[in-house]
Amino acid sequence: SLLLSGCSEARDALPAAVDLRTDAQLARVQRLPIVLFFHSTTCRFCREVEDLYLARLQKENETAPKFLLRTVEVSQTQTLVKFDGTRTDYRAFAKRQGVTLVPHLRFLGPDGEPLAPDLVGVASPDFYGAYLEGSISSAGEKLRRAGRCAPGVDRAHRPVDDRQRAQAEEVELDEACGLDVVLVELRDDAGAAL
């Protein structure tokens, strides 16, 4: 006898949110945005977003990471560690995040800060993939720009004494952000400022 099923292909499950604090540490080190996919197992649009867009992007993401994807099933009470390390469950977390409609994608930085506007629902199926990829790209670029300007990234400043005559020196500003100020004090062999 022949058994037919509604879904002939086994699909890989997208990674579920378990510990956002640990995910945030990884995202910070790798400078990747976190994409939260709020969904419901009873939502056919959620399944479409998962099957048509997220599964493909996640597969590509395995070889060239651009984001960390985590799923949150809004009706479940599975335990979740939030960005601040406190525990909650999926349902309470979604409610606290203001998620009232699914599918709902949120693009966050390592501290849980929004990096791009949320994608809620599937308003335009023809352009949804482009919107999603654009949001991921925008969030990643914003995170990388912010990382270059983040406090604590600045290198230590120290005087250089090479015991040679004062000379012109080329200074390259690596990953300049905003306004950088470079002060150069020239001194002669006796140590007097020129």
Side-chain angles (χ1 to χ4, degrees):
S1 85
L2 180 62
L3 178 63
L4 298 174
S5 73
C7 182
S8 60
E9 287 184 34
R11 62 180 185 179
D12 295 330
L14 297 177
V18 175
D19 186 340
L20 293 177
R21 184 166 68 178
T22 299
D23 292 337
Q25 291 168 349
L26 179 61
R28 186 173 286 106
V29 168
Q30 295 184 0
R31 288 191 177 175
L32 298 173
I34 298 169
V35 178
L36 293 182
F37 175 45
F38 294 93
H39 67 99
S40 171
T41 55
T42 60
C43 166
R44 79 174 176 91
F45 296 111
C46 298
R47 286 190 301 277
E48 285 180 21
V49 167
E50 184 175 345
D51 294 342
L52 297 176
Y53 309 105
L54 292 176
R56 176 185 58 83
L57 289 173
Q58 181 63 18
K59 191 75 165 168
E60 293 170 5
N61 199 41
E62 291 171 5
T63 56
K66 294 182 181 175
F67 60 95
L68 289 180
L69 176 65
R70 299 297 182 257
T71 64
V72 177
E73 212 292 357
V74 298
S75 64
Q76 288 185 356
T77 56
Q78 179 174 329
T79 301
L80 171 69
V81 176
K82 298 188 303 185
F83 289 97
D84 64 3
T86 59
R87 294 185 182 280
T88 188
D89 65 54
Y90 281 177
R91 185 183 306 159
F93 181 70
K95 185 175 181 179
R96 183 90 169 141
Q97 292 289 309
V99 174
T100 56
L101 297 171
V102 291
H104 190 131
L105 285 126
R106 182 158 288 162
F107 309 90
L108 304 171
D111 296 319
E113 74 280 9
L115 296 174
D118 292 2
L119 281 180
V120 181
V122 184
S124 180
D126 293 336
F127 299 105
Y128 191 86
Y131 294 148
L132 174 58
E133 290 183 43
S135 294
I136 290 169
S137 178
S138 174
E141 181 56 33
K142 186 173 182 181
L143 186 60
R144 284 184 291 282
R145 278 194 320 267
R148 288 195 299 259
C149 304
V153 174
D154 197 12
R155 292 159 185 82
H157 293 84
R158 65 189 184 289
V160 175
D161 181 9
D162 63 5
R163 302 278 188 233
Q164 295 178 5
R165 291 182 344 172
Q167 57 188 348
E169 184 177 321
E170 184 178 325
V171 177
E172 181 180 328
L173 298 176
D174 184 31
E175 297 180 351
C177 180
L179 177 63
D180 288 313
V181 177
V182 176
L183 299 176
V184 177
E185 183 178 279
L186 299 176
R187 296 185 175 272
D188 63 13
D189 290 337
L194 297 175

PDB file of all heavy atoms in Angstrom, residues 165-194:
ATOM      1  N   ARG A 165      65.114  62.480  15.595  1.00  0.00           N
ATOM      2  CA  ARG A 165      64.644  63.827  15.303  1.00  0.00           C
ATOM      3  C   ARG A 165      63.164  63.803  14.976  1.00  0.00           C
ATOM      4  O   ARG A 165      62.636  62.824  14.483  1.00  0.00           O
ATOM      5  CB  ARG A 165      65.399  64.393  14.098  1.00  0.00           C
ATOM      6  CG  ARG A 165      66.831  64.681  14.368  1.00  0.00           C
ATOM      7  CD  ARG A 165      67.501  65.281  13.187  1.00  0.00           C
ATOM      8  NE  ARG A 165      66.754  65.111  11.943  1.00  0.00           N
ATOM      9  CZ  ARG A 165      67.072  65.680  10.804  1.00  0.00           C
ATOM     10  NH1 ARG A 165      68.114  66.439  10.731  1.00  0.00           N
ATOM     11  NH2 ARG A 165      66.359  65.479   9.731  1.00  0.00           N
ATOM     12  N   ALA A 166      62.520  64.896  15.253  1.00  0.00           N
ATOM     13  CA  ALA A 166      61.108  65.024  14.902  1.00  0.00           C
ATOM     14  C   ALA A 166      60.959  64.874  13.396  1.00  0.00           C
ATOM     15  O   ALA A 166      61.764  65.395  12.634  1.00  0.00           O
ATOM     16  CB  ALA A 166      60.569  66.373  15.350  1.00  0.00           C
ATOM     17  N   GLN A 167      59.987  64.128  12.994  1.00  0.00           N
ATOM     18  CA  GLN A 167      59.772  63.914  11.571  1.00  0.00           C
ATOM     19  C   GLN A 167      58.279  63.813  11.282  1.00  0.00           C
ATOM     20  O   GLN A 167      57.490  63.517  12.161  1.00  0.00           O
ATOM     21  CB  GLN A 167      60.492  62.654  11.105  1.00  0.00           C
ATOM     22  CG  GLN A 167      60.078  61.415  11.878  1.00  0.00           C
ATOM     23  CD  GLN A 167      60.937  60.209  11.551  1.00  0.00           C
ATOM     24  OE1 GLN A 167      61.699  60.226  10.601  1.00  0.00           O
ATOM     25  NE2 GLN A 167      60.816  59.173  12.337  1.00  0.00           N
ATOM     26  N   ALA A 168      57.952  64.049  10.040  1.00  0.00           N
ATOM     27  CA  ALA A 168      56.553  63.917   9.648  1.00  0.00           C
ATOM     28  C   ALA A 168      56.188  62.437   9.693  1.00  0.00           C
ATOM     29  O   ALA A 168      56.998  61.580   9.361  1.00  0.00           O
ATOM     30  CB  ALA A 168      56.344  64.464   8.238  1.00  0.00           C
ATOM     31  N   GLU A 169      54.994  62.143  10.138  1.00  0.00           N
ATOM     32  CA  GLU A 169      54.565  60.756  10.242  1.00  0.00           C
ATOM     33  C   GLU A 169      53.158  60.632   9.688  1.00  0.00           C
ATOM     34  O   GLU A 169      52.288  61.452   9.971  1.00  0.00           O
ATOM     35  CB  GLU A 169      54.579  60.336  11.713  1.00  0.00           C
ATOM     36  CG  GLU A 169      54.247  58.887  11.938  1.00  0.00           C
ATOM     37  CD  GLU A 169      54.350  58.527  13.414  1.00  0.00           C
ATOM     38  OE1 GLU A 169      55.259  59.012  14.089  1.00  0.00           O
ATOM     39  OE2 GLU A 169      53.492  57.766  13.858  1.00  0.00           O
ATOM     40  N   GLU A 170      52.933  59.608   8.897  1.00  0.00           N
ATOM     41  CA  GLU A 170      51.605  59.375   8.350  1.00  0.00           C
ATOM     42  C   GLU A 170      50.793  58.609   9.389  1.00  0.00           C
ATOM     43  O   GLU A 170      51.254  57.633   9.959  1.00  0.00           O
ATOM     44  CB  GLU A 170      51.703  58.558   7.063  1.00  0.00           C
ATOM     45  CG  GLU A 170      50.372  58.350   6.393  1.00  0.00           C
ATOM     46  CD  GLU A 170      50.507  57.571   5.095  1.00  0.00           C
ATOM     47  OE1 GLU A 170      51.504  57.748   4.391  1.00  0.00           O
ATOM     48  OE2 GLU A 170      49.592  56.785   4.818  1.00  0.00           O
ATOM     49  N   VAL A 171      49.612  59.086   9.635  1.00  0.00           N
ATOM     50  CA  VAL A 171      48.742  58.442  10.614  1.00  0.00           C
ATOM     51  C   VAL A 171      47.487  57.981   9.888  1.00  0.00           C
ATOM     52  O   VAL A 171      46.821  58.764   9.217  1.00  0.00           O
ATOM     53  CB  VAL A 171      48.361  59.419  11.754  1.00  0.00           C
ATOM     54  CG1 VAL A 171      47.405  58.760  12.720  1.00  0.00           C
ATOM     55  CG2 VAL A 171      49.605  59.900  12.464  1.00  0.00           C
ATOM     56  N   GLU A 172      47.177  56.717  10.008  1.00  0.00           N
ATOM     57  CA  GLU A 172      45.963  56.182   9.395  1.00  0.00           C
ATOM     58  C   GLU A 172      44.937  55.955  10.489  1.00  0.00           C
ATOM     59  O   GLU A 172      45.225  55.347  11.515  1.00  0.00           O
ATOM     60  CB  GLU A 172      46.268  54.855   8.706  1.00  0.00           C
ATOM     61  CG  GLU A 172      45.059  54.261   8.027  1.00  0.00           C
ATOM     62  CD  GLU A 172      45.380  52.936   7.349  1.00  0.00           C
ATOM     63  OE1 GLU A 172      46.519  52.764   6.889  1.00  0.00           O
ATOM     64  OE2 GLU A 172      44.484  52.095   7.302  1.00  0.00           O
ATOM     65  N   LEU A 173      43.759  56.473  10.282  1.00  0.00           N
ATOM     66  CA  LEU A 173      42.684  56.279  11.242  1.00  0.00           C
ATOM     67  C   LEU A 173      41.902  55.054  10.816  1.00  0.00           C
ATOM     68  O   LEU A 173      41.257  55.043   9.779  1.00  0.00           O
ATOM     69  CB  LEU A 173      41.775  57.511  11.299  1.00  0.00           C
ATOM     70  CG  LEU A 173      42.473  58.792  11.746  1.00  0.00           C
ATOM     71  CD1 LEU A 173      41.502  59.956  11.675  1.00  0.00           C
ATOM     72  CD2 LEU A 173      43.017  58.627  13.141  1.00  0.00           C
ATOM     73  N   ASP A 174      41.972  54.012  11.609  1.00  0.00           N
ATOM     74  CA  ASP A 174      41.307  52.763  11.298  1.00  0.00           C
ATOM     75  C   ASP A 174      39.855  52.831  11.746  1.00  0.00           C
ATOM     76  O   ASP A 174      39.568  53.155  12.888  1.00  0.00           O
ATOM     77  CB  ASP A 174      42.032  51.618  12.007  1.00  0.00           C
ATOM     78  CG  ASP A 174      41.446  50.268  11.662  1.00  0.00           C
ATOM     79  OD1 ASP A 174      40.947  50.120  10.526  1.00  0.00           O
ATOM     80  OD2 ASP A 174      41.503  49.379  12.515  1.00  0.00           O
ATOM     81  N   GLU A 175      38.950  52.544  10.839  1.00  0.00           N
ATOM     82  CA  GLU A 175      37.523  52.522  11.120  1.00  0.00           C
ATOM     83  C   GLU A 175      37.062  53.816  11.774  1.00  0.00           C
ATOM     84  O   GLU A 175      36.431  53.823  12.827  1.00  0.00           O
ATOM     85  CB  GLU A 175      37.162  51.326  12.013  1.00  0.00           C
ATOM     86  CG  GLU A 175      37.448  49.998  11.363  1.00  0.00           C
ATOM     87  CD  GLU A 175      37.088  48.832  12.250  1.00  0.00           C
ATOM     88  OE1 GLU A 175      36.764  49.025  13.434  1.00  0.00           O
ATOM     89  OE2 GLU A 175      37.107  47.709  11.757  1.00  0.00           O
ATOM     90  N   ALA A 176      37.391  54.930  11.156  1.00  0.00           N
ATOM     91  CA  ALA A 176      37.011  56.237  11.700  1.00  0.00           C
ATOM     92  C   ALA A 176      35.499  56.334  11.839  1.00  0.00           C
ATOM     93  O   ALA A 176      34.751  55.851  11.021  1.00  0.00           O
ATOM     94  CB  ALA A 176      37.530  57.341  10.787  1.00  0.00           C
ATOM     95  N   CYS A 177      35.072  56.964  12.884  1.00  0.00           N
ATOM     96  CA  CYS A 177      33.641  57.126  13.138  1.00  0.00           C
ATOM     97  C   CYS A 177      33.428  58.501  13.742  1.00  0.00           C
ATOM     98  O   CYS A 177      34.044  58.847  14.751  1.00  0.00           O
ATOM     99  CB  CYS A 177      33.164  56.051  14.102  1.00  0.00           C
ATOM    100  SG  CYS A 177      31.423  56.180  14.453  1.00  0.00           S
ATOM    101  N   GLY A 178      32.564  59.268  13.137  1.00  0.00           N
ATOM    102  CA  GLY A 178      32.302  60.584  13.686  1.00  0.00           C
ATOM    103  C   GLY A 178      33.535  61.461  13.531  1.00  0.00           C
ATOM    104  O   GLY A 178      34.166  61.515  12.493  1.00  0.00           O
ATOM    105  N   LEU A 179      33.914  62.129  14.567  1.00  0.00           N
ATOM    106  CA  LEU A 179      35.049  63.039  14.550  1.00  0.00           C
ATOM    107  C   LEU A 179      36.179  62.454  15.381  1.00  0.00           C
ATOM    108  O   LEU A 179      36.025  62.205  16.571  1.00  0.00           O
ATOM    109  CB  LEU A 179      34.627  64.400  15.124  1.00  0.00           C
ATOM    110  CG  LEU A 179      35.715  65.448  15.242  1.00  0.00           C
ATOM    111  CD1 LEU A 179      36.266  65.801  13.864  1.00  0.00           C
ATOM    112  CD2 LEU A 179      35.176  66.682  15.922  1.00  0.00           C
ATOM    113  N   ASP A 180      37.297  62.204  14.742  1.00  0.00           N
ATOM    114  CA  ASP A 180      38.475  61.726  15.442  1.00  0.00           C
ATOM    115  C   ASP A 180      39.457  62.875  15.553  1.00  0.00           C
ATOM    116  O   ASP A 180      39.620  63.661  14.625  1.00  0.00           O
ATOM    117  CB  ASP A 180      39.141  60.571  14.678  1.00  0.00           C
ATOM    118  CG  ASP A 180      38.332  59.301  14.753  1.00  0.00           C
ATOM    119  OD1 ASP A 180      37.907  58.955  15.869  1.00  0.00           O
ATOM    120  OD2 ASP A 180      38.132  58.662  13.709  1.00  0.00           O
ATOM    121  N   VAL A 181      40.107  62.989  16.673  1.00  0.00           N
ATOM    122  CA  VAL A 181      41.088  64.032  16.891  1.00  0.00           C
ATOM    123  C   VAL A 181      42.421  63.364  17.166  1.00  0.00           C
ATOM    124  O   VAL A 181      42.524  62.489  18.024  1.00  0.00           O
ATOM    125  CB  VAL A 181      40.696  64.936  18.091  1.00  0.00           C
ATOM    126  CG1 VAL A 181      41.770  65.973  18.338  1.00  0.00           C
ATOM    127  CG2 VAL A 181      39.348  65.575  17.836  1.00  0.00           C
ATOM    128  N   VAL A 182      43.420  63.762  16.423  1.00  0.00           N
ATOM    129  CA  VAL A 182      44.750  63.231  16.627  1.00  0.00           C
ATOM    130  C   VAL A 182      45.643  64.414  16.995  1.00  0.00           C
ATOM    131  O   VAL A 182      45.724  65.396  16.263  1.00  0.00           O
ATOM    132  CB  VAL A 182      45.301  62.546  15.354  1.00  0.00           C
ATOM    133  CG1 VAL A 182      46.727  62.077  15.575  1.00  0.00           C
ATOM    134  CG2 VAL A 182      44.394  61.396  14.953  1.00  0.00           C
ATOM    135  N   LEU A 183      46.270  64.328  18.140  1.00  0.00           N
ATOM    136  CA  LEU A 183      47.192  65.376  18.570  1.00  0.00           C
ATOM    137  C   LEU A 183      48.611  64.857  18.419  1.00  0.00           C
ATOM    138  O   LEU A 183      48.937  63.779  18.897  1.00  0.00           O
ATOM    139  CB  LEU A 183      46.932  65.737  20.033  1.00  0.00           C
ATOM    140  CG  LEU A 183      45.546  66.285  20.346  1.00  0.00           C
ATOM    141  CD1 LEU A 183      45.398  66.493  21.843  1.00  0.00           C
ATOM    142  CD2 LEU A 183      45.295  67.573  19.601  1.00  0.00           C
ATOM    143  N   VAL A 184      49.439  65.637  17.759  1.00  0.00           N
ATOM    144  CA  VAL A 184      50.829  65.275  17.573  1.00  0.00           C
ATOM    145  C   VAL A 184      51.675  66.406  18.147  1.00  0.00           C
ATOM    146  O   VAL A 184      51.515  67.559  17.760  1.00  0.00           O
ATOM    147  CB  VAL A 184      51.165  65.058  16.079  1.00  0.00           C
ATOM    148  CG1 VAL A 184      52.641  64.741  15.909  1.00  0.00           C
ATOM    149  CG2 VAL A 184      50.290  63.962  15.499  1.00  0.00           C
ATOM    150  N   GLU A 185      52.521  66.085  19.081  1.00  0.00           N
ATOM    151  CA  GLU A 185      53.419  67.080  19.658  1.00  0.00           C
ATOM    152  C   GLU A 185      54.827  66.750  19.210  1.00  0.00           C
ATOM    153  O   GLU A 185      55.302  65.636  19.404  1.00  0.00           O
ATOM    154  CB  GLU A 185      53.337  67.037  21.189  1.00  0.00           C
ATOM    155  CG  GLU A 185      54.187  68.086  21.845  1.00  0.00           C
ATOM    156  CD  GLU A 185      54.025  68.033  23.358  1.00  0.00           C
ATOM    157  OE1 GLU A 185      53.029  68.581  23.864  1.00  0.00           O
ATOM    158  OE2 GLU A 185      54.890  67.425  24.000  1.00  0.00           O
ATOM    159  N   LEU A 186      55.457  67.701  18.573  1.00  0.00           N
ATOM    160  CA  LEU A 186      56.811  67.496  18.093  1.00  0.00           C
ATOM    161  C   LEU A 186      57.801  68.092  19.083  1.00  0.00           C
ATOM    162  O   LEU A 186      57.627  69.195  19.571  1.00  0.00           O
ATOM    163  CB  LEU A 186      56.986  68.137  16.708  1.00  0.00           C
ATOM    164  CG  LEU A 186      56.075  67.582  15.616  1.00  0.00           C
ATOM    165  CD1 LEU A 186      56.269  68.369  14.330  1.00  0.00           C
ATOM    166  CD2 LEU A 186      56.317  66.113  15.396  1.00  0.00           C
ATOM    167  N   ARG A 187      58.874  67.364  19.373  1.00  0.00           N
ATOM    168  CA  ARG A 187      59.923  67.825  20.269  1.00  0.00           C
ATOM    169  C   ARG A 187      61.277  67.652  19.599  1.00  0.00           C
ATOM    170  O   ARG A 187      61.460  66.761  18.795  1.00  0.00           O
ATOM    171  CB  ARG A 187      59.882  67.017  21.582  1.00  0.00           C
ATOM    172  CG  ARG A 187      58.618  67.219  22.380  1.00  0.00           C
ATOM    173  CD  ARG A 187      58.677  66.494  23.711  1.00  0.00           C
ATOM    174  NE  ARG A 187      57.533  66.798  24.500  1.00  0.00           N
ATOM    175  CZ  ARG A 187      57.440  67.835  25.333  1.00  0.00           C
ATOM    176  NH1 ARG A 187      58.456  68.634  25.520  1.00  0.00           N
ATOM    177  NH2 ARG A 187      56.341  68.040  26.025  1.00  0.00           N
ATOM    178  N   ASP A 188      62.209  68.527  19.996  1.00  0.00           N
ATOM    179  CA  ASP A 188      63.562  68.398  19.447  1.00  0.00           C
ATOM    180  C   ASP A 188      64.374  67.435  20.311  1.00  0.00           C
ATOM    181  O   ASP A 188      63.862  66.863  21.278  1.00  0.00           O
ATOM    182  CB  ASP A 188      64.233  69.754  19.316  1.00  0.00           C
ATOM    183  CG  ASP A 188      64.442  70.446  20.661  1.00  0.00           C
ATOM    184  OD1 ASP A 188      64.303  69.778  21.709  1.00  0.00           O
ATOM    185  OD2 ASP A 188      64.723  71.658  20.665  1.00  0.00           O
ATOM    186  N   ASP A 189      65.646  67.275  19.954  1.00  0.00           N
ATOM    187  CA  ASP A 189      66.515  66.340  20.677  1.00  0.00           C
ATOM    188  C   ASP A 189      66.627  66.665  22.158  1.00  0.00           C
ATOM    189  O   ASP A 189      66.821  65.771  22.983  1.00  0.00           O
ATOM    190  CB  ASP A 189      67.911  66.308  20.047  1.00  0.00           C
ATOM    191  CG  ASP A 189      67.889  65.637  18.675  1.00  0.00           C
ATOM    192  OD1 ASP A 189      66.945  64.847  18.430  1.00  0.00           O
ATOM    193  OD2 ASP A 189      68.795  65.898  17.867  1.00  0.00           O
ATOM    194  N   ALA A 190      66.498  67.932  22.539  1.00  0.00           N
ATOM    195  CA  ALA A 190      66.621  68.339  23.943  1.00  0.00           C
ATOM    196  C   ALA A 190      65.304  68.157  24.694  1.00  0.00           C
ATOM    197  O   ALA A 190      65.231  68.361  25.901  1.00  0.00           O
ATOM    198  CB  ALA A 190      67.084  69.782  24.036  1.00  0.00           C
ATOM    199  N   GLY A 191      64.241  67.784  23.982  1.00  0.00           N
ATOM    200  CA  GLY A 191      62.952  67.568  24.625  1.00  0.00           C
ATOM    201  C   GLY A 191      62.058  68.780  24.656  1.00  0.00           C
ATOM    202  O   GLY A 191      60.984  68.771  25.222  1.00  0.00           O
ATOM    203  N   ALA A 192      62.515  69.872  24.035  1.00  0.00           N
ATOM    204  CA  ALA A 192      61.693  71.074  24.011  1.00  0.00           C
ATOM    205  C   ALA A 192      60.661  70.976  22.902  1.00  0.00           C
ATOM    206  O   ALA A 192      60.941  70.477  21.816  1.00  0.00           O
ATOM    207  CB  ALA A 192      62.578  72.306  23.786  1.00  0.00           C
ATOM    208  N   ALA A 193      59.471  71.454  23.196  1.00  0.00           N
ATOM    209  CA  ALA A 193      58.413  71.434  22.201  1.00  0.00           C
ATOM    210  C   ALA A 193      58.785  72.363  21.070  1.00  0.00           C
ATOM    211  O   ALA A 193      59.349  73.434  21.282  1.00  0.00           O
ATOM    212  CB  ALA A 193      57.090  71.850  22.816  1.00  0.00           C
ATOM    213  N   LEU A 194      58.513  71.949  19.869  1.00  0.00           N
ATOM    214  CA  LEU A 194      58.794  72.780  18.685  1.00  0.00           C
ATOM    215  C   LEU A 194      57.616  73.675  18.378  1.00  0.00           C
ATOM    216  O   LEU A 194      56.519  73.418  18.574  1.00  0.00           O
ATOM    217  CB  LEU A 194      59.111  71.894  17.477  1.00  0.00           C
ATOM    218  CG  LEU A 194      60.347  71.026  17.614  1.00  0.00           C
ATOM    219  CD1 LEU A 194      60.467  70.133  16.399  1.00  0.00           C
ATOM    220  CD2 LEU A 194      61.585  71.899  17.745  1.00  0.00           C
TER     221      LEU A 194
END
